[in-house]
Amino acid sequence: APRLSPAMDDEELEYTLLNKREVMVYQIPPASSSSGHKADDWKKCIWRGRCQIAGKGSNLSIKLLDAGSGNLFAQCMIPNGDFDKYVERVVDSSRYFVLKISNGARHAFIGLGFEDRNDAFDFNCTLSDFKSTWVDREKQAEAAAAAPTPSQPAKDLSLKDGQKITINLGGLGLKGRRREEKADANGDGSGGFAGLLAPPPPGGGSRKTA
């Protein structure tokens, strides 16, 4: 497992991501086709030793170290973990890679090979995982910070299943309308029995029968 430093020390401390005991380094000719390099073209192995991948902040380095003394044979520096510009897979094997070794403005290409396919798989996954964990995540955070954000979060005003909406009009119009409807029903305002009783006799008097 990689030995990661605390987040506050990422820029100061170097941490080891991968160690492989035996790798081979080849002197390689120019790419034989436009599709890329072929490991089958590599005939001259110039070195054997350990391979170590180390991180420092968002930067990576691939170190080729002497198996006995630990002395550095060559180093591939990868700024910002963007390894695609510095590590290229060959087109005819999953165990071989081309490394770009830079020294100031000068650079050279060497071939890196693993005898074990699983070691090559670990090597490639370590590079990819570092890029996705540190570089891609940082780009996403920068994009999110640059995107405009609303002053207030948008409210969800949609009605959920089974939810009802209640409108309070404060009595405006409802009481008046009810009074008008009641008056229309009562006619002359003689109470709620208007229309149900016979009209009074003419003259307003009452007659007594003998």
Side-chain angles (χ1 to χ4, degrees):
R3 299 193 300 271
L4 300 178
S5 63
M8 65 180 64
D9 296 329
D10 279 345
E11 296 299 325
E12 291 80 19
L13 299 181
E14 185 176 81
Y15 45 90
T16 300
L17 295 166
L18 182 73
N19 265 316
K20 293 300 178 182
R21 293 184 176 180
E22 186 172 3
V23 296
M24 300 159 290
V25 172
Y26 294 85
Q27 180 179 338
I28 62 174
S32 58
S33 69
S34 58
S35 58
H37 291 268
K38 294 181 179 180
D40 191 53
D41 296 334
W42 302 352
K43 308 300 183 184
K44 188 175 182 181
C45 178
I46 59 175
W47 183 85
R48 283 178 175 266
R50 293 193 298 115
C51 175
Q52 180 185 89
I53 300 180
K56 188 176 183 181
S58 60
N59 299 321
L60 270 179
S61 61
I62 302 173
K63 301 179 181 183
L64 303 177
L65 306 171
D66 184 85
S69 65
N71 292 334
L72 183 68
F73 170 74
Q75 181 171 226
C76 175
M77 301 296 298
I78 307 176
N80 298 319
D82 194 4
F83 68 91
D84 293 330
K85 300 177 181 179
Y86 297 88
V87 181
E88 178 185 351
R89 299 184 66 169
V90 299
V91 298
D92 58 342
S93 174
S94 62
R95 296 187 294 114
Y96 295 88
F97 303 83
V98 177
L99 303 185
K100 181 179 180 180
I101 308 297
S102 300
N103 184 10
R106 303 177 60 186
H107 64 269
F109 295 95
I110 61 174
L112 177 68
F114 295 86
E115 292 186 348
D116 190 328
R117 196 177 305 274
N118 291 329
D119 288 344
F121 177 81
D122 292 342
F123 175 83
N124 190 59
C125 285
T126 300
L127 298 177
S128 299
D129 289 347
F130 183 90
K131 184 174 183 292
S132 62
T133 300
W134 294 95
V135 183
D136 295 343
R137 183 177 63 181
E138 183 177 347
K139 290 180 180 179
Q140 292 172 1
E142 291 175 354
T149 56
S151 57
Q152 293 181 352
K155 296 182 178 180
D156 184 6
L157 301 179
S158 60
L159 292 178
K160 307 299 185 294
D161 292 341
Q163 186 178 4
K164 297 181 180 179
I165 186 170
T166 301
I167 301 177
N168 184 8
L169 299 180
L172 295 178
L174 292 181
K175 293 182 179 179
R177 186 176 303 118
R178 289 172 181 171
R179 286 197 294 267
E180 292 175 1
E181 293 173 353
K182 186 175 182 181
D184 291 342
N186 293 340
D188 57 357
S190 58
F193 300 100
L196 298 180
L197 300 179
S206 61
R207 295 181 180 179
K208 293 182 180 181
T209 59

